[in-house]
């Protein structure tokens, strides 16, 4: 079955170039130019993935996303005007699977669509993991990868735990501070960076071919299940 991508975008030139590139890449596409109409389509006939502009007539993209999330969990990528906007959107925790900043290259959009679909499909098949199993034993703060123990500090373990619980979700440094460091008010965002760096090094030592923790430029970090890269 050919995956269908719904494009909710009020700028006709952007919508048409995205449609062209996505079709060449093998996706079916559908386009609506209005937020309310977009929400209607999302709920009536959920596409495999939605590209959703934030600034839209009828209903803004964040509201569309929130309403849609009550009923359906298929991936949604937000298209935003500025990188600073992404920080705010992550803070709102509206439930997007990824964010793309305008202006973007259509090639980049196709790559992100492909990556998000691969990741979410990998997530759906998680019930039967094949190799590359990362297991977190929460009673002993012990993480194992393919059966081999990773020697993580308690701090690194908590950080990994927060990321792993929501695969693909992008966390800002501030959110990680709130979620993984609730017992320590003195930790800085720079410390989060250094803990993430240590975690990535330990994960990479055990499984060098997979990037478990993705950096999202200017925003934060996301956990990528194996099979997603
Ligand atoms: Ca717009």
């Amino acid at each position: 079955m050919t995956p269908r991508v719904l494009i909710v975008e009020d700028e006709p030139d952007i919508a048409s170039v995205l449609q062209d590139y996505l079709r060449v890449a093998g996706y079916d596409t559908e386009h609506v130019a209005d937020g309310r109409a977009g929400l209607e389509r999302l709920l009536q006939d959920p596409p495999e993935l939605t590209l959703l502009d934030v600034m839209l007539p009828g209903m803004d993209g964040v509201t569309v996303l929130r309403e849609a999330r009550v009923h359906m969990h298929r991936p949604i990528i937000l298209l935003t005007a500025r990188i600073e906007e992404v920080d705010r959107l992550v803070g709102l925790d509206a439930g997007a699977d990824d964010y793309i900043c305008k202006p973007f290259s259509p090639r980049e959009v196709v790559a992100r669509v492909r990556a998000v679909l691969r990741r979410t499909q990998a997530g759906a098949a998680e019930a039967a993991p094949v190799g590359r199993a990362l297991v977190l034993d929460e009673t002993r703060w012990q993480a194992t990868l393919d059966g081999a123990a990773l020697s993580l500090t308690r701090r690194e373990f908590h950080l990994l735990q927060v990321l792993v619980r929501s695969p693909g979700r992008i966390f800002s440094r501030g959110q990680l501070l709130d979620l993984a460091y609730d017992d320590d008010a003195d930790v800085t965002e720079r410390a989060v960076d250094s803990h993430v760096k240590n975690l990535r090094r330990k994960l990479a030592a055990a499984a060098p071919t997979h990037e478990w923790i993705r950096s999202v430029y200017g925003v934060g970090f996301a956990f990528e299940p194996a099979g997603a890269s």
Side-chain angles (χ1 to χ4, degrees):
M1 196 196 68
T2 312
R4 183 164 46 96
V5 177
L6 174 67
I7 301 164
V8 188
E9 167 65 67
D10 59 323
E11 288 166 63
D13 293 349
I14 294 183
S16 109
V17 79
L18 286 179
Q19 284 195 290
D20 290 347
Y21 272 79
L22 286 165
R23 281 182 188 149
V24 168
Y27 299 100
D28 278 344
T29 62
E30 188 185 342
H31 169 228
V32 292
D34 172 271
R36 207 168 289 278
L39 179 61
E40 220 162 85
R41 286 303 294 151
L42 269 168
L43 298 179
Q44 265 169 6
D45 187 12
E48 272 67 38
L49 184 143
T50 303
L51 291 170
L52 177 61
D53 188 25
V54 172
M55 298 287 281
L56 284 169
M59 185 186 274
D60 72 274
V62 174
T63 309
V64 172
L65 176 60
R66 284 206 168 125
E67 296 281 322
R69 276 288 173 256
V70 176
H71 307 280
M72 72 118 211
H73 299 281
R74 298 228 175 142
I76 297 177
I77 300 178
L78 281 183
L79 308 175
T80 79
R82 294 188 312 273
I83 185 80
E84 303 90 79
E85 174 87 341
V86 175
D87 223 356
R88 189 181 71 86
L89 293 169
V90 170
L92 287 174
D93 192 20
D97 293 84
D98 206 349
Y99 303 85
I100 302 176
C101 290
K102 294 178 176 180
F104 44 66
S105 82
R107 233 178 269 279
E108 183 200 350
V109 176
V110 170
R112 302 282 274 277
V113 164
R114 205 172 270 144
V116 167
L117 281 173
R118 208 159 37 198
R119 185 168 85 210
T120 48
Q121 280 153 7
E126 221 164 26
V130 181
R132 281 298 137 83
L134 181 63
V135 177
L136 301 188
D137 178 346
E138 308 197 354
T139 58
R140 294 186 302 142
W141 298 320
Q142 178 67 260
T144 55
L145 183 59
D146 295 341
L150 297 169
S151 87
L152 304 184
T153 64
R154 199 176 137 187
R155 189 62 84 199
E156 290 159 2
F157 181 87
H158 282 314
L159 203 51
L160 184 60
Q161 193 178 31
V162 168
L163 291 165
V164 164
R165 278 180 187 156
S166 304
R169 183 178 147 188
I170 301 158
F171 291 91
S172 67
R173 289 169 178 80
Q175 286 175 324
L176 290 174
L177 272 178
D178 287 346
L179 294 165
Y181 298 80
D182 51 351
D183 55 332
D184 188 347
D186 298 330
V187 181
T188 61
E189 296 198 356
R190 190 173 296 187
V192 176
D193 277 344
S194 103
H195 292 143
V196 168
K197 196 171 147 201
N198 289 342
L199 252 184
R200 295 172 100 174
R201 184 172 43 77
K202 290 177 182 180
L203 287 163
T209 56
H210 181 67
E211 191 189 13
W212 295 89
I213 299 173
R214 177 167 65 104
S215 281
V216 183
Y217 179 74
V219 185
F221 305 99
F223 177 75
E224 302 291 331
S229 65

